[in-house]
mmCIF file of all heavy atoms in Angstrom:
data_model
loop_
_atom_site.group_PDB
_atom_site.id
_atom_site.type_symbol
_atom_site.label_atom_id
_atom_site.label_comp_id
_atom_site.label_asym_id
_atom_site.label_seq_id
_atom_site.Cartn_x
_atom_site.Cartn_y
_atom_site.Cartn_z
ATOM 1 N N ASN A 205 0.818 -1.221 0.003
ATOM 2 C CA ASN A 205 0.004 -0.005 0.001
ATOM 3 C C ASN A 205 0.848 1.274 0.003
ATOM 4 O O ASN A 205 0.302 2.367 0.142
ATOM 5 C CB ASN A 205 -0.941 -0.003 1.202
ATOM 6 C CG ASN A 205 -2.056 -1.029 1.058
ATOM 7 O OD1 ASN A 205 -2.531 -1.278 -0.047
ATOM 8 N ND2 ASN A 205 -2.471 -1.617 2.170
ATOM 9 N N GLY A 206 2.164 1.098 -0.119
ATOM 10 C CA GLY A 206 3.051 2.258 -0.268
ATOM 11 C C GLY A 206 3.674 2.794 0.996
ATOM 12 O O GLY A 206 4.289 3.861 0.966
ATOM 13 N N ALA A 207 3.564 2.072 2.129
ATOM 14 C CA ALA A 207 4.196 2.529 3.350
ATOM 15 C C ALA A 207 5.713 2.524 3.142
ATOM 16 O O ALA A 207 6.302 1.495 2.800
ATOM 17 C CB ALA A 207 3.824 1.605 4.523
ATOM 18 N N LYS A 208 6.354 3.658 3.310
ATOM 19 C CA LYS A 208 7.754 3.810 2.936
ATOM 20 C C LYS A 208 8.705 2.879 3.703
ATOM 21 O O LYS A 208 9.600 2.270 3.108
ATOM 22 C CB LYS A 208 8.182 5.278 3.128
ATOM 23 C CG LYS A 208 7.501 6.239 2.155
ATOM 24 C CD LYS A 208 8.021 7.651 2.338
ATOM 25 C CE LYS A 208 7.386 8.613 1.329
ATOM 26 N NZ LYS A 208 7.876 10.001 1.492
ATOM 27 N N GLN A 209 8.538 2.804 5.008
ATOM 28 C CA GLN A 209 9.474 2.008 5.813
ATOM 29 C C GLN A 209 9.405 0.527 5.431
ATOM 30 O O GLN A 209 10.432 -0.111 5.202
ATOM 31 C CB GLN A 209 9.143 2.182 7.308
ATOM 32 C CG GLN A 209 10.128 1.395 8.200
ATOM 33 C CD GLN A 209 9.837 1.621 9.687
ATOM 34 O OE1 GLN A 209 9.076 2.513 10.058
ATOM 35 N NE2 GLN A 209 10.432 0.805 10.523
ATOM 36 N N GLN A 210 8.182 -0.009 5.362
ATOM 37 C CA GLN A 210 8.033 -1.413 5.030
ATOM 38 C C GLN A 210 8.454 -1.700 3.576
ATOM 39 O O GLN A 210 9.098 -2.704 3.288
ATOM 40 C CB GLN A 210 6.582 -1.864 5.237
ATOM 41 C CG GLN A 210 6.173 -1.994 6.695
ATOM 42 C CD GLN A 210 5.778 -0.659 7.303
ATOM 43 O OE1 GLN A 210 5.861 0.393 6.657
ATOM 44 N NE2 GLN A 210 5.341 -0.700 8.561
ATOM 45 N N ALA A 211 8.090 -0.779 2.667
ATOM 46 C CA ALA A 211 8.463 -0.963 1.276
ATOM 47 C C ALA A 211 9.988 -0.976 1.119
ATOM 48 O O ALA A 211 10.548 -1.743 0.322
ATOM 49 C CB ALA A 211 7.863 0.152 0.420
ATOM 50 N N ALA A 212 10.671 -0.128 1.903
ATOM 51 C CA ALA A 212 12.120 -0.066 1.836
ATOM 52 C C ALA A 212 12.764 -1.358 2.322
ATOM 53 O O ALA A 212 13.794 -1.780 1.763
ATOM 54 C CB ALA A 212 12.610 1.109 2.687
ATOM 55 N N GLU A 213 12.177 -1.993 3.327
ATOM 56 C CA GLU A 213 12.737 -3.250 3.851
ATOM 57 C C GLU A 213 12.707 -4.348 2.801
ATOM 58 O O GLU A 213 13.677 -5.068 2.594
ATOM 59 C CB GLU A 213 11.944 -3.691 5.097
ATOM 60 C CG GLU A 213 12.176 -2.854 6.341
ATOM 61 C CD GLU A 213 13.582 -2.994 6.912
ATOM 62 O OE1 GLU A 213 14.289 -3.963 6.541
ATOM 63 O OE2 GLU A 213 13.962 -2.111 7.701
ATOM 64 N N TYR A 214 11.586 -4.456 2.114
ATOM 65 C CA TYR A 214 11.462 -5.492 1.087
ATOM 66 C C TYR A 214 12.311 -5.165 -0.130
ATOM 67 O O TYR A 214 12.944 -6.052 -0.718
ATOM 68 C CB TYR A 214 9.996 -5.669 0.674
ATOM 69 C CG TYR A 214 9.177 -6.405 1.718
ATOM 70 C CD1 TYR A 214 8.386 -5.705 2.621
ATOM 71 C CD2 TYR A 214 9.205 -7.786 1.779
ATOM 72 C CE1 TYR A 214 7.642 -6.370 3.581
ATOM 73 C CE2 TYR A 214 8.449 -8.461 2.730
ATOM 74 C CZ TYR A 214 7.687 -7.758 3.625
ATOM 75 O OH TYR A 214 6.955 -8.425 4.590
ATOM 76 N N ALA A 215 12.364 -3.872 -0.480
ATOM 77 C CA ALA A 215 13.168 -3.456 -1.624
ATOM 78 C C ALA A 215 14.645 -3.718 -1.369
ATOM 79 O O ALA A 215 15.371 -4.113 -2.287
ATOM 80 C CB ALA A 215 12.943 -1.961 -1.902
ATOM 81 N N ALA A 216 15.085 -3.535 -0.136
ATOM 82 C CA ALA A 216 16.484 -3.767 0.210
ATOM 83 C C ALA A 216 16.868 -5.237 0.007
ATOM 84 O O ALA A 216 18.049 -5.545 -0.223
ATOM 85 C CB ALA A 216 16.739 -3.364 1.663
ATOM 86 N N MET A 217 15.907 -6.120 0.124
ATOM 87 C CA MET A 217 16.172 -7.546 -0.082
ATOM 88 C C MET A 217 15.944 -7.968 -1.535
ATOM 89 O O MET A 217 16.206 -9.109 -1.884
ATOM 90 C CB MET A 217 15.271 -8.388 0.850
ATOM 91 C CG MET A 217 15.588 -8.259 2.307
ATOM 92 S SD MET A 217 14.619 -9.419 3.313
ATOM 93 C CE MET A 217 12.978 -8.747 3.104
ATOM 94 N N GLY A 218 15.430 -7.034 -2.337
ATOM 95 C CA GLY A 218 15.132 -7.378 -3.712
ATOM 96 C C GLY A 218 13.902 -8.247 -3.857
ATOM 97 O O GLY A 218 13.780 -9.047 -4.792
ATOM 98 N N ILE A 219 12.958 -8.069 -2.925
ATOM 99 C CA ILE A 219 11.723 -8.858 -2.925
ATOM 100 C C ILE A 219 10.524 -7.962 -3.236
ATOM 101 O O ILE A 219 10.351 -6.903 -2.639
ATOM 102 C CB ILE A 219 11.499 -9.547 -1.566
ATOM 103 C CG1 ILE A 219 12.570 -10.614 -1.328
ATOM 104 C CG2 ILE A 219 10.116 -10.188 -1.487
ATOM 105 C CD1 ILE A 219 12.496 -11.279 0.041
ATOM 106 N N SER A 220 9.700 -8.397 -4.182
ATOM 107 C CA SER A 220 8.460 -7.689 -4.476
ATOM 108 C C SER A 220 7.334 -8.374 -3.697
ATOM 109 O O SER A 220 7.239 -9.613 -3.708
ATOM 110 C CB SER A 220 8.167 -7.758 -5.974
ATOM 111 O OG SER A 220 6.869 -7.238 -6.232
ATOM 112 N N VAL A 221 6.517 -7.601 -3.048
ATOM 113 C CA VAL A 221 5.419 -8.181 -2.261
ATOM 114 C C VAL A 221 4.227 -8.508 -3.142
ATOM 115 O O VAL A 221 3.270 -9.130 -2.697
ATOM 116 C CB VAL A 221 4.980 -7.233 -1.115
ATOM 117 C CG1 VAL A 221 6.111 -7.054 -0.123
ATOM 118 C CG2 VAL A 221 4.490 -5.900 -1.662
ATOM 119 N N LYS A 222 4.300 -8.094 -4.418
ATOM 120 C CA LYS A 222 3.228 -8.369 -5.349
ATOM 121 C C LYS A 222 3.684 -9.362 -6.411
ATOM 122 O O LYS A 222 4.874 -9.405 -6.776
ATOM 123 C CB LYS A 222 2.736 -7.097 -6.021
ATOM 124 C CG LYS A 222 2.093 -6.093 -5.069
ATOM 125 C CD LYS A 222 1.594 -4.861 -5.808
ATOM 126 C CE LYS A 222 0.911 -3.861 -4.871
ATOM 127 N NZ LYS A 222 0.441 -2.661 -5.603
ATOM 128 N N ASP A 223 2.742 -10.170 -6.898
ATOM 129 C CA ASP A 223 3.076 -11.117 -7.952
ATOM 130 C C ASP A 223 2.983 -10.444 -9.335
ATOM 131 O O ASP A 223 2.734 -9.241 -9.419
ATOM 132 C CB ASP A 223 2.186 -12.363 -7.882
ATOM 133 C CG ASP A 223 0.685 -12.028 -8.045
ATOM 134 O OD1 ASP A 223 0.361 -10.977 -8.622
ATOM 135 O OD2 ASP A 223 -0.145 -12.835 -7.566
ATOM 136 N N ALA A 224 3.180 -11.239 -10.370
ATOM 137 C CA ALA A 224 3.194 -10.690 -11.740
ATOM 138 C C ALA A 224 1.879 -10.030 -12.141
ATOM 139 O O ALA A 224 1.836 -9.144 -12.987
ATOM 140 C CB ALA A 224 3.534 -11.787 -12.727
ATOM 141 N N SER A 225 0.770 -10.445 -11.491
ATOM 142 C CA SER A 225 -0.532 -9.889 -11.813
ATOM 143 C C SER A 225 -0.879 -8.685 -10.937
ATOM 144 O O SER A 225 -1.975 -8.130 -11.044
ATOM 145 C CB SER A 225 -1.628 -10.956 -11.669
ATOM 146 O OG SER A 225 -1.730 -11.388 -10.321
ATOM 147 N N GLY A 226 0.061 -8.312 -10.061
ATOM 148 C CA GLY A 226 -0.167 -7.142 -9.213
ATOM 149 C C GLY A 226 -0.889 -7.448 -7.912
ATOM 150 O O GLY A 226 -1.236 -6.532 -7.164
ATOM 151 N N GLN A 227 -1.087 -8.733 -7.628
ATOM 152 C CA GLN A 227 -1.759 -9.139 -6.389
ATOM 153 C C GLN A 227 -0.731 -9.372 -5.274
ATOM 154 O O GLN A 227 0.402 -9.776 -5.534
ATOM 155 C CB GLN A 227 -2.573 -10.430 -6.615
ATOM 156 C CG GLN A 227 -3.678 -10.284 -7.653
ATOM 157 C CD GLN A 227 -4.702 -9.242 -7.263
ATOM 158 O OE1 GLN A 227 -5.223 -9.244 -6.136
ATOM 159 N NE2 GLN A 227 -5.015 -8.355 -8.192
ATOM 160 N N LEU A 228 -1.154 -9.109 -4.051
ATOM 161 C CA LEU A 228 -0.276 -9.332 -2.894
ATOM 162 C C LEU A 228 0.053 -10.819 -2.782
ATOM 163 O O LEU A 228 -0.854 -11.669 -2.828
ATOM 164 C CB LEU A 228 -0.962 -8.859 -1.616
ATOM 165 C CG LEU A 228 -0.175 -9.002 -0.302
ATOM 166 C CD1 LEU A 228 1.085 -8.118 -0.332
ATOM 167 C CD2 LEU A 228 -1.063 -8.628 0.880
ATOM 168 N N LYS A 229 1.324 -11.140 -2.659
ATOM 169 C CA LYS A 229 1.727 -12.552 -2.516
ATOM 170 C C LYS A 229 1.242 -13.092 -1.168
ATOM 171 O O LYS A 229 1.160 -12.343 -0.188
ATOM 172 C CB LYS A 229 3.242 -12.677 -2.611
ATOM 173 C CG LYS A 229 3.826 -12.362 -3.970
ATOM 174 C CD LYS A 229 5.347 -12.415 -3.952
ATOM 175 C CE LYS A 229 5.940 -12.057 -5.300
ATOM 176 N NZ LYS A 229 7.432 -11.999 -5.256
ATOM 177 N N SER A 230 0.992 -14.387 -1.115
ATOM 178 C CA SER A 230 0.594 -14.982 0.157
ATOM 179 C C SER A 230 1.799 -14.991 1.102
ATOM 180 O O SER A 230 2.954 -14.986 0.671
ATOM 181 C CB SER A 230 0.098 -16.426 -0.057
ATOM 182 O OG SER A 230 1.140 -17.248 -0.570
ATOM 183 N N SER A 231 1.536 -15.015 2.382
ATOM 184 C CA SER A 231 2.584 -14.923 3.383
ATOM 185 C C SER A 231 3.562 -16.114 3.325
ATOM 186 O O SER A 231 4.737 -15.953 3.595
ATOM 187 C CB SER A 231 1.983 -14.837 4.782
ATOM 188 O OG SER A 231 1.265 -13.636 4.938
ATOM 189 N N ASP A 232 3.042 -17.305 2.949
ATOM 190 C CA ASP A 232 3.939 -18.459 2.874
ATOM 191 C C ASP A 232 4.916 -18.322 1.681
ATOM 192 O O ASP A 232 6.075 -18.731 1.781
ATOM 193 C CB ASP A 232 3.160 -19.763 2.774
ATOM 194 C CG ASP A 232 2.043 -19.743 1.746
ATOM 195 O OD1 ASP A 232 1.301 -18.730 1.700
ATOM 196 O OD2 ASP A 232 1.897 -20.711 0.976
ATOM 197 N N VAL A 233 4.447 -17.722 0.595
ATOM 198 C CA VAL A 233 5.320 -17.483 -0.556
ATOM 199 C C VAL A 233 6.405 -16.471 -0.170
ATOM 200 O O VAL A 233 7.598 -16.659 -0.457
ATOM 201 C CB VAL A 233 4.529 -16.988 -1.772
ATOM 202 C CG1 VAL A 233 5.465 -16.471 -2.870
ATOM 203 C CG2 VAL A 233 3.635 -18.097 -2.306
ATOM 204 N N LEU A 234 5.998 -15.388 0.491
ATOM 205 C CA LEU A 234 6.953 -14.364 0.913
ATOM 206 C C LEU A 234 7.942 -14.927 1.919
ATOM 207 O O LEU A 234 9.130 -14.608 1.891
ATOM 208 C CB LEU A 234 6.214 -13.168 1.514
ATOM 209 C CG LEU A 234 5.540 -12.235 0.507
ATOM 210 C CD1 LEU A 234 4.669 -11.212 1.222
ATOM 211 C CD2 LEU A 234 6.587 -11.523 -0.337
ATOM 212 N N LEU A 235 7.450 -15.775 2.807
ATOM 213 C CA LEU A 235 8.340 -16.391 3.803
ATOM 214 C C LEU A 235 9.460 -17.168 3.126
ATOM 215 O O LEU A 235 10.621 -17.083 3.521
ATOM 216 C CB LEU A 235 7.542 -17.302 4.732
ATOM 217 C CG LEU A 235 8.356 -18.001 5.839
ATOM 218 C CD1 LEU A 235 8.801 -16.973 6.873
ATOM 219 C CD2 LEU A 235 7.542 -19.098 6.510
ATOM 220 N N GLY A 236 9.086 -17.914 2.086
ATOM 221 C CA GLY A 236 10.096 -18.675 1.353
ATOM 222 C C GLY A 236 11.112 -17.799 0.676
ATOM 223 O O GLY A 236 12.320 -18.087 0.679
ATOM 224 N N GLU A 237 10.657 -16.691 0.091
ATOM 225 C CA GLU A 237 11.566 -15.780 -0.588
ATOM 226 C C GLU A 237 12.492 -15.092 0.420
ATOM 227 O O GLU A 237 13.698 -14.902 0.165
ATOM 228 C CB GLU A 237 10.775 -14.725 -1.372
ATOM 229 C CG GLU A 237 9.984 -15.324 -2.544
ATOM 230 C CD GLU A 237 9.265 -14.261 -3.351
ATOM 231 O OE1 GLU A 237 9.549 -13.058 -3.163
ATOM 232 O OE2 GLU A 237 8.399 -14.621 -4.176
#
């Protein structure tokens, strides 16, 4: 949703929280990444 602090944390790891269709990834998928 654009929160800067959280977005920066994921960006620093090179992880997108959204999938190719623009939907939020499930937590288990993100956990694996």
Side-chain angles (χ1 to χ4, degrees):
N205 289 326
K208 292 183 178 180
Q209 182 178 348
Q210 288 82 357
E213 289 292 343
Y214 286 98
M217 292 187 292
I219 293 176
S220 172
V221 296
K222 295 182 179 180
D223 60 24
S225 64
Q227 299 299 310
L228 181 65
K229 293 176 182 175
S230 64
S231 295
D232 48 314
V233 169
L234 284 171
L235 181 70
E237 293 183 13

